[in-house]
Amino acid sequence: MTDTNTGTILDKIKAYKLEEIAADKAAKPLEAVEAEARAASPVRPFADALFDASREGYGLIAEVKKASPSKGLIRADFDPATLAAAYAAGGATCLSVLTDTPSFQGAKEYLVAAREACTLPVLRKDFMYDPYQVAEARALGADCILIIMASVSDAQAIELEDAAAQWGMDALIEVHDKAELDRAAVLKSRMMGINNRNLKTFETTLDTTRRLSKHVDVEKMIVSESGLNTPGDLADMAKYGSRVFLIGESLMRQDDVEVATRNLLATPLRPGGM
């Protein structure tokens, strides 16, 4: 393990994640994971569901998230199945489930439990570096993976996206600056996530979506991620072309997640509205 007193948070995560992948491969060969993936329940349409929801209202990827490196424990009474059902009842379009343990107190089992508790498509929220993880995601029941441009090379991004396509899954491409957005232009995914959180400092500003949205291909669906707390925040981002949002912490902190989700989505800015 690398020295946790040096490097960025992302550097530290990558170091232990590569060790984790190697250990997983040793414990369960790729062939066994692929067999589980082939036996998994059918893929639920992730991107299509968000496109449909965003035509008149908003598309919400609601995140099942126990903790984060920057904020620590977010929700003590954490039950993935209960939270997934509450999100679905509140009007969420899709789910995002953290499966990284060291930094987010997530678990692969959380994804399985959340997906079984509702009919929503599910994103495996993790730091992906290897096609092995993509096959594993499908074996767990995931319908979409995350590709973080800040964390992978161009070749890795293409490899991961191709692996997702081979399993019939969607890929959410995540960027947080113009250089990463330019690199992502070669990828095929229809979903471009703009993370308002700087993955090196973990500081958050909605100016990131405001600034980068104008550079996103008009055929792509912009997903604004992080730092979104109120209906006003969503309406603001909608003015910049993002009608789809990935939201975790602000909803995870609410006593009644279902009601909080419903209230957040209750007054969408209509397409073309200002």
Side-chain angles (χ1 to χ4, degrees):
M1 185 66 68
T2 57
D3 182 357
T4 55
N5 293 316
T6 61
T8 67
I9 293 174
L10 196 58
D11 292 333
K12 297 167 191 172
I13 290 173
K14 182 174 183 177
Y16 75 67
K17 189 61 63 175
L18 293 177
E19 293 179 1
E20 186 180 288
I21 295 166
D24 287 345
K25 286 181 174 181
K28 183 182 291 186
L30 177 61
E31 294 76 12
V33 175
E34 290 177 335
E36 293 178 1
R38 287 191 290 271
S41 59
V43 174
R44 298 171 183 171
F46 193 94
D48 285 349
L50 293 169
F51 271 102
D52 289 346
S54 65
R55 285 196 176 99
E56 292 297 328
Y58 293 146
L60 173 63
I61 307 169
E63 191 153 87
V64 178
K65 181 178 185 178
K66 185 176 183 179
S68 78
S70 57
K71 300 293 181 64
L73 183 67
I74 294 171
R75 190 177 185 92
D77 62 328
F78 183 83
D79 180 71
T82 300
L83 293 166
Y87 275 144
T93 312
C94 297
L95 297 179
S96 168
V97 181
L98 268 300
T99 58
D100 175 79
T101 303
S103 296
F104 292 89
Q105 297 184 37
K108 296 166 187 176
E109 298 78 27
Y110 293 167
L111 190 152
V112 176
R115 194 174 187 272
E116 288 179 349
C118 65
T119 60
L120 302 184
V122 180
L123 165 76
R124 180 185 183 182
K125 184 76 172 289
D126 211 319
F127 298 84
M128 310 293 277
Y129 298 99
D130 192 297
Y132 180 96
Q133 294 171 285
V134 183
E136 184 181 55
R138 183 79 280 271
L140 294 169
D143 308 290
C144 183
I145 63 162
L146 180 70
I147 301 176
I148 303 171
M149 295 305 294
S151 196
V152 297
S153 67
D154 293 354
Q156 282 177 311
I158 292 169
E159 184 180 43
L160 291 168
E161 185 181 58
D162 286 347
Q166 289 169 10
W167 289 109
M169 292 190 290
D170 289 313
L172 173 60
I173 313 303
E174 180 177 291
V175 304
H176 77 281
D177 61 28
K178 180 63 163 54
E180 291 169 11
L181 183 59
D182 290 342
R183 290 173 53 217
V186 301
L187 299 173
K188 302 170 186 174
S189 174
R190 296 180 293 162
M191 298 184 293
M192 187 62 64
I194 298 177
N195 195 343
N196 299 305
R197 176 172 287 114
N198 185 312
L199 293 180
K200 295 179 180 178
T201 65
F202 270 60
E203 295 175 352
T204 302
T205 172
L206 297 184
D207 282 338
T208 306
T209 293
R210 296 185 187 106
R211 186 176 65 254
L212 295 182
S213 59
K214 61 179 176 287
H215 299 293
V216 177
D217 188 307
V218 293
E219 295 182 358
K220 304 279 188 180
M221 177 174 66
I222 300 172
V223 182
S224 187
E225 308 171 10
S226 304
L228 300 156
N229 300 296
T230 68
D233 289 338
L234 273 55
D236 185 7
M237 295 299 95
K239 293 175 184 176
Y240 290 87
S242 176
R243 301 186 59 82
V244 179
F245 312 96
L246 192 154
I247 302 175
E249 183 180 334
S250 63
L251 291 172
M252 281 286 92
R253 291 189 183 281
Q254 303 303 312
D255 291 335
D256 192 323
V257 171
E258 177 184 338
V259 170
T261 303
R262 186 177 298 114
N263 290 343
L264 188 66
L265 298 170
T267 55
L269 184 73
R270 297 303 173 188
M274 291 300 289

